[in-house]
Amino acid sequence: MKSPKEQTLHTRRDFLRTSVLGGALAYTVPLFLEKTFLCLDTMAAATSGQITTGKDGTILVVLQLAGGNDGINTLVPYGDDAYYKARPKIAIPKADILRISDYAGLHPKLTGIHDLYAQGCLGMVQGVGYPNPNRSHFRSTEIWQTGSDADKNESQGWLGRYFDNCCQGSDPSSVGVAISGQTPQAFASPTPKGVAFSNPEQFRYMSEAASDPASADMFMRQMNQPTDAGHNSLSENSGGSIGMLSGPADDDGSTVEFLQRTALGAQMSSDKILAITRKTKSSVNYPQSQLGNSLNLVGRLIAGGLPTRVYYVSQGGFDTHANQLPSHERLMSDLSAATTSFVQDLKAQGNFNRVLMISFSEFGRRVSENASGGTDHGAAAPLFVMGGGVKPGLYGNYPSLTDLHDGDLKFGTDFRSVYATALEKWLGAPSEMVLGKKYPLLPFI
Amino acid sequence: MFSPFPEKLWDRKMAAHLLDRAGFGGTPAEVDALVGMGPERAVNSFINADDDSDLFPRPELLMPEQRLVYKQREKAAATEDERREVRKELGKAEAATMLELRLWWLNRMRYTAAPLQEKATLFWHGHFATSNQKVNDSYLMWQQNDTLRRYALGKFPDMLKAMSRDPAMIRWLDLGDSRKDHPNENFAREVMELFSLGEGHYTEKDIQESARAFTGYRINYEKGQFHFKEKDFDSGTKTFFEKTGPWTGDDIIDAIVSQPQCARFIGKKLWVFFVAENPSEETLSGIAELLLSNGYDIGATLSTIFKSAAFYSPKAVHHQIKSPIQWIMQTTKMLEIPLPDARVLENSLASLGQVIFAPPNVKGWDGGRAWISASNLLYRYNLAAYLLSGKARILGGGNTKTAMIPLKTIAPTSVRGSSDQLLDELSFRVFNYPLPPKDRATYLTFLEKHSTPYADDTVRDLMQLMMSTPDYQLT
């Protein structure tokens, strides 16, 4: 019987030989790479307290509602007259509300989300925000993505710091996947990790640009193999440790090695993701929308066994300054339908219990409607937590609609408490290392 | 510390290094011209290049008076819906002029005969890291760019003072609301933390006191210019860096730059941008001393650096990761093609993580390894494939057209008969640097499959291969 360590090494070696370097090329895997992967696995295990075991680890899906979702018309305080007073044109009639409590209920188009609540796998954290709220999309998004205080500037993303602290050395697609043309700032770290793509068919080397694509592909792989030269410099410079792998460059060889490792990681990720998306089809129908397509893709990647633990998707269009009833209705309807499909998909795969999805938006909107039948930038708002491990219910209190801060709801729960809860209770990661401070954990898991 | 680089070692590799770092690269012919000049004259040709602003007339911008017309229309509108319409129109005009502005600067970088001026302007843009995402005004962004260019190779204290009066900066760091009875500390903090000293070299008290000195700095929106509002200025005594007096904002800046730490901080950033990461303690003190002895004259300082042996050390040459802008400039110059069309250019720089006039945050671009992720490394490879092949679907379709690569110039008939000659010719153009033996062997194996004289397709495929490598990301 092999020890787990030997098995890991064996698997990695096989994987590298067969899938990455390609059957056509009978190259041996450089020794330093094998060692690297072994060290990295061990280190990741030591850091995070649990080994990511590919097909059975827990998964976090972060859903960004970009533009500032109107939280008040999402989780509606229908039991409060102040709501109807503040929003004579755009308040949702009591009769249409999907009730959660005597005070709050869901937007009528969130039927699927309401069902998930009834089935016991949806929670709503109320009044989430941060001190000294900023009403700029740009700045408030940055605050949410980096987890920084409003009066501090932090350039690394909260997930980037999680990757750095807990997922060192895995190939990038095993660390985090963002369904997006650009890497979200939440993933930012000194040495970027994770991958971002909107279409898996574009996340690959386009060898067909060449007049002889097969040869272009083969030679590209050959040129992008780390050399054994890396072996010497790696062990010399890092004293046998693998700290160098993600640390800052401080010697000559390491920039090239860094590029070589990234190139290899890119190929591994691309090969894995394409192999999965080309063979895996969803068993359920998703709505034909950006969010529907993104969650469909995440569903297929999970079904195909990608060992990634963090996915990032987004839905845009929430900046509803004018005539918001029809546009917000469409957004709610899409959110509900896409989430419902995703849940059905995960359940059909038997993966539902592995997944936690958290939604967030850079801010909520003002309590009072504006003169155009819309709402302007606000502050605190509710967010959804959904998944097989979620305890259903309302968390935190609904902020008062009359005791306001500059016309906005006062926050009751710091958004970093939500992050800390997901990190500690779901991903099993030390949240203080990632967030820089201890934040109270919430009981939604 | 900065002993001059020996003339006898001056060759194509060294000249190309200067061309890449003091500018945005170029063709083998441009490298050879520098080789002929020798290091001293070659460096001077960058430092003393004639300003060619007249060749790059200001792009179409949304001028302050045009903006006022929108504001007046908004005010005059009868309903909220009409007002919203006006704002929407303004937003569209703003977006269109910002696009013009970005293209204008990128083309200036691509074609200027004074590349160091543009390179240094890009450096300062990353340093002062003002984003139009908050400023929202193409005219103010252009004005800041113009100011940065004017001082790019001048004296740093003058630039810092100009930046404190720059309308885009004033809006970016909330200086415009700062008044005697309610000083805003944002600018006062960042001027020390990000622009001059770095964290830990001042106290919170220094921030509070200096914030009072920067009160009354305003934007005159009708003219899009700085305006000092005496009434809002706190003329009382302040204690800053242990000296007490009725300090003005300029006094504060003078006090900041007289701190030796300021020269170290600016010196390190210059070194990392132009030379190499992680300068030694010795290098750091050397460059700080150099800056101080030159009275913070950036041009004079860079001149000494570019002529020094340290600049051409093996740790510096071909050891820097190309920024996305450096990548696109060096690539199009080397291929002798114009910049790709606006849509491809915009999408590419966004995907690669360097949108000018929109740095990611107040700290600017991290640079170095932060430029490279698995996704954008693949994107770099594919962008090269797209530029070489002109096949639109490589970058996801559309009707974009790329310029034809002048393959007869890049690989003249005279080198197509021998694999060694072709490789020498192409590798110098593409990498500006000798090929590692293992890479050379691989390229030779590739060429073995093709017969001489090598066809255009072979040349193109070989260049695609060369550009799809970790090595090509270095400069």
Side-chain angles (χ1 to χ4, degrees):
Chain A
M1 177 93 191
K2 283 179 183 152
S3 75
K5 219 179 242 184
E6 282 167 334
Q7 272 180 347
T8 310
L9 180 58
H10 179 72
T11 316
R12 294 283 190 188
R13 185 186 293 148
D14 272 358
F15 177 72
L16 286 168
R17 286 222 173 95
T18 54
S19 78
V20 180
L21 303 178
L25 300 168
Y27 287 90
T28 52
V29 177
L31 182 63
F32 94 90
L33 259 180
E34 288 187 357
K35 283 191 174 169
T36 299
F37 277 109
L38 177 61
C39 290
L40 290 168
D41 270 5
T42 315
M43 183 166 141
T47 324
S48 69
Q50 61 178 85
I51 299 179
T52 311
T53 45
K55 289 192 172 186
D56 49 19
T58 51
I59 291 169
L60 174 67
V61 179
V62 176
L63 163 60
Q64 178 183 9
L65 310 179
N69 177 36
D70 183 7
I72 294 173
N73 269 16
T74 303
L75 182 61
V76 185
Y78 73 95
D80 196 330
D81 290 344
Y83 168 67
Y84 292 96
K85 221 172 278 170
R87 297 184 163 203
K89 275 196 256 173
I90 63 159
I92 295 165
K94 257 181 206 162
D96 298 346
I97 302 286
L98 307 171
R99 300 192 176 198
I100 301 285
S101 72
D102 291 343
Y103 184 84
L106 292 168
H107 186 284
K109 292 289 176 188
L110 292 176
T111 46
I113 301 262
H114 193 249
D115 289 345
L116 292 173
Y117 168 73
Q119 291 158 21
C121 50
L122 183 105
M124 288 144 277
V125 188
Q126 312 184 93
V128 185
Y130 55 89
N132 305 312
N134 193 299
R135 290 175 188 79
S136 142
H137 291 293
F138 171 60
R139 178 61 189 143
S140 198
T141 302
E142 183 173 83
I143 289 166
W144 276 86
Q145 302 254 25
T146 59
S148 91
D149 289 337
D151 60 353
K152 293 226 174 67
N153 286 301
E154 166 63 55
S155 45
Q156 312 308 334
W158 74 281
L159 293 168
R161 290 194 303 273
Y162 161 69
F163 300 153
D164 272 352
N165 279 306
C166 311
C167 314
Q168 298 216 2
S170 321
D171 82 274
S173 71
S174 306
V175 173
V177 171
I179 311 300
S180 154
Q182 291 168 38
T183 307
Q185 199 182 1
F187 279 23
S189 91
T191 53
K193 299 196 174 58
V195 297
F197 53 85
S198 44
N199 175 355
E201 289 298 326
Q202 294 289 325
F203 180 62
R204 64 185 177 89
Y205 183 58
M206 299 287 177
S207 55
E208 65 265 39
S211 65
D212 181 350
S215 151
D217 194 68
M218 184 182 87
F219 278 96
M220 187 282 288
R221 283 171 188 273
Q222 200 168 335
M223 287 306 300
N224 280 275
Q225 259 187 83
T227 51
D228 250 330
H231 169 50
N232 292 327
S233 56
L234 188 78
S235 49
E236 273 165 25
N237 293 322
S238 55
S241 88
I242 45 85
M244 282 303 302
L245 284 174
S246 56
D250 57 11
D251 70 283
D252 276 334
S254 62
T255 301
V256 177
E257 285 175 17
F258 160 75
L259 286 164
Q260 289 176 341
R261 281 192 305 273
T262 309
L264 182 68
Q267 286 171 62
M268 289 166 73
S269 300
S270 165
D271 289 350
K272 270 158 86 173
I273 283 165
L274 278 176
I276 289 173
T277 53
R278 285 178 178 170
K279 73 165 199 271
T280 317
K281 295 280 164 275
S282 299
S283 59
V284 303
N285 286 320
Y286 281 84
Q288 290 296 316
S289 63
Q290 184 205 350
L291 182 63
N293 292 335
S294 299
L295 286 176
N296 180 336
L297 191 48
V298 173
R300 283 153 66 199
L301 293 171
I302 293 172
L306 195 72
T308 310
R309 304 190 67 192
V310 176
Y311 292 90
Y312 192 100
V313 296
S314 63
Q315 183 187 12
F318 284 91
D319 198 16
T320 52
H321 284 284
N323 193 20
Q324 83 166 44
L325 279 179
S327 55
H328 198 246
E329 204 172 282
R330 277 195 299 276
L331 291 164
M332 292 292 103
S333 168
D334 183 29
L335 173 64
S336 185
T339 307
T340 305
S341 301
F342 187 49
V343 170
Q344 283 169 359
D345 191 358
L346 292 172
K347 282 186 172 166
Q349 298 170 19
N351 279 321
F352 185 56
N353 288 334
R354 296 175 56 203
V355 176
L356 168 68
M357 182 157 97
I358 292 178
S359 72
F360 83 94
S361 197
E362 65 264 40
F363 39 62
R365 306 192 78 85
R366 305 228 131 188
V367 176
S368 298
E369 66 189 24
N370 63 24
S372 316
T375 46
D376 297 321
H377 302 180
L383 58 71
F384 294 119
V385 292
M386 187 278 295
V390 167
K391 295 178 195 150
L394 294 166
Y395 297 92
N397 295 320
Y398 209 107
S400 163
L401 298 182
T402 48
D403 175 22
L404 303 175
H405 174 264
D406 288 347
D408 284 330
L409 300 181
K410 291 180 177 170
F411 84 100
T413 300
D414 194 297
F415 71 106
R416 289 159 295 193
S417 270
V418 179
Y419 291 175
T421 307
L423 288 165
E424 296 271 355
K425 293 189 175 178
W426 196 249
L427 295 174
S431 67
E432 200 175 347
M433 270 168 82
V434 175
L435 301 171
K437 252 197 275 189
K438 269 271 177 222
Y439 289 92
L441 301 184
L442 303 172
F444 63 76
I445 299 173
Chain B
M1 167 75 225
F2 296 107
S3 60
F5 181 73
E7 176 128 27
K8 62 176 192 303
L9 297 180
W10 185 248
D11 60 8
R12 288 179 109 190
K13 186 169 103 180
M14 300 307 175
H17 175 59
L18 176 66
L19 184 60
D20 293 342
R21 297 296 181 86
F24 299 98
T27 60
E30 289 171 271
V31 174
D32 287 335
L34 292 173
V35 172
M37 289 183 207
E40 173 83 16
R41 274 183 55 218
V43 171
N44 290 345
S45 76
F46 284 92
I47 303 286
N48 305 327
D50 288 333
D51 179 275
D52 55 1
S53 292
D54 52 333
L55 297 179
F56 303 95
R58 188 181 67 196
E60 196 76 28
L61 300 169
L62 194 68
M63 302 302 285
E65 55 272 20
Q66 292 170 291
R67 183 177 290 276
L68 280 183
V69 174
Y70 280 104
K71 290 286 161 197
Q72 281 154 5
R73 279 178 52 203
E74 193 187 331
K75 228 181 227 168
T79 66
E80 178 60 30
D81 284 343
E82 277 176 48
R83 278 193 286 281
R84 198 165 293 283
E85 247 348 273
V86 177
R87 282 201 291 271
K88 214 183 236 174
E89 238 179 88
L90 172 64
K92 265 190 190 153
E94 189 56 68
T97 51
M98 269 318 292
L99 174 63
E100 285 298 309
L101 179 58
R102 285 193 297 271
L103 296 176
W104 171 82
W105 191 17
L106 292 167
N107 274 292
R108 186 162 182 173
M109 291 184 212
R110 172 69 181 80
Y111 290 107
T112 180
L116 176 58
Q117 183 170 267
E118 295 313 310
K119 190 83 178 251
T121 305
L122 182 60
F123 167 74
W124 292 116
H125 176 42
H127 183 74
F128 290 105
T130 305
S131 173
N132 189 56
Q133 296 229 41
K134 177 165 172 183
V135 175
N136 250 313
D137 189 321
S138 60
Y139 177 74
L140 298 187
M141 293 308 290
W142 169 80
Q143 200 177 48
Q144 184 185 76
N145 182 253
D146 194 54
T147 305
L148 291 175
R149 183 172 296 102
R150 192 160 349 110
Y151 292 97
L153 299 172
K155 291 194 189 292
F156 176 68
D158 297 345
M159 172 149 55
L160 201 48
K161 286 173 192 170
M163 278 297 111
S164 73
R165 290 177 177 75
D166 175 69
M169 176 62 75
I170 288 174
R171 189 180 291 177
W172 175 238
L173 293 181
D174 312 309
L175 199 49
D177 312 321
S178 192
R179 52 179 200 273
K180 191 176 175 175
D181 55 344
H182 196 83
N184 186 308
E185 294 176 4
N186 201 8
F187 179 79
R189 177 183 304 278
E190 303 306 13
V191 79
M192 290 189 278
E193 178 184 330
L194 301 173
F195 303 159
S196 63
L197 298 173
E199 245 174 315
H201 297 280
Y202 48 85
T203 64
E204 284 297 308
K205 182 81 182 153
D206 289 326
I207 290 171
Q208 290 157 14
E209 293 286 285
S210 59
R212 294 173 51 215
F214 288 109
T215 46
Y217 282 44
R218 295 289 175 271
I219 304 169
N220 174 339
Y221 282 104
E222 286 172 32
K223 295 183 182 152
Q225 283 173 4
F226 174 73
H227 158 71
F228 183 64
K229 195 171 171 192
E230 188 86 48
K231 190 164 76 64
D232 284 348
F233 174 63
D234 182 345
S235 59
T237 55
K238 300 118 188 155
T239 302
F240 185 68
F241 287 152
E242 290 162 6
K243 284 189 186 147
T244 304
W247 310 130
T248 63
D250 284 356
D251 294 333
I252 296 294
I253 287 173
D254 287 332
I256 288 173
V257 299
S258 69
Q259 306 275 314
Q261 170 59 24
C262 179
R264 283 173 65 90
F265 183 80
I266 297 299
K268 180 171 182 184
K269 283 195 89 169
L270 282 169
W271 192 266
V272 168
F273 185 85
F274 285 102
V275 191
E277 287 188 337
N278 303 303
S280 66
E281 179 51 40
E282 190 197 355
T283 306
L284 214 51
S285 345
I287 184 175
E289 209 172 287
L290 187 62
L291 266 170
L292 290 173
S293 65
N294 282 317
Y296 280 107
D297 188 300
I298 302 300
T301 302
L302 286 176
S303 177
T304 305
I305 290 173
F306 293 154
K307 289 172 187 171
S308 73
F311 178 68
Y312 300 93
S313 90
K315 282 182 176 238
V317 181
H318 204 63
H319 272 69
Q320 184 180 64
I321 294 178
K322 286 171 184 154
S323 70
I325 287 186
Q326 189 74 19
W327 190 101
I328 198 102
M329 294 299 159
Q330 274 192 232
T331 300
T332 55
K333 280 175 169 242
M334 171 274 280
L335 294 176
E336 303 188 36
I337 52 171
L339 292 174
D341 81 22
R343 195 187 63 91
V344 171
L345 189 58
E346 292 269 298
N347 286 344
S348 299
L349 289 172
S351 298
L352 297 177
Q354 193 177 26
V355 178
I356 47 171
F357 301 110
N361 56 63
V362 291
K363 293 177 181 164
W365 293 281
D366 288 342
R369 293 178 178 204
W371 290 129
I372 301 292
S373 68
S375 308
N376 65 33
L377 188 57
L378 270 183
Y379 199 99
R380 284 178 178 220
Y381 291 5
N382 289 332
L383 182 57
Y386 165 76
L387 292 174
L388 287 163
S389 69
K391 292 178 183 164
R393 68 168 190 281
I394 298 305
L395 289 183
N399 295 317
T400 53
K401 281 210 169 69
T402 51
M404 293 287 286
I405 310 294
L407 287 169
K408 298 282 181 278
T409 311
I410 288 173
T413 322
S414 59
V415 301
R416 294 201 190 200
S418 130
S419 53
D420 278 314
Q421 279 184 8
L422 181 67
L423 261 188
D424 287 342
E425 186 80 13
L426 288 187
S427 63
F428 180 68
R429 179 180 287 266
V430 172
F431 297 105
N432 283 343
Y433 196 76
L435 287 175
K438 179 182 163 287
D439 291 5
R440 189 175 180 93
T442 307
Y443 295 132
L444 285 172
T445 313
F446 171 84
L447 283 175
E448 272 167 22
K449 296 175 65 180
H450 301 268
S451 53
T452 54
Y454 296 113
D456 281 358
D457 276 349
T458 306
V459 174
R460 208 184 283 111
D461 285 4
L462 178 59
M463 289 182 84
Q464 182 181 333
L465 181 58
M466 287 177 158
M467 293 166 76
S468 308
T469 55
D471 204 27
Y472 186 67
Q473 314 316 316
L474 295 173
T475 188

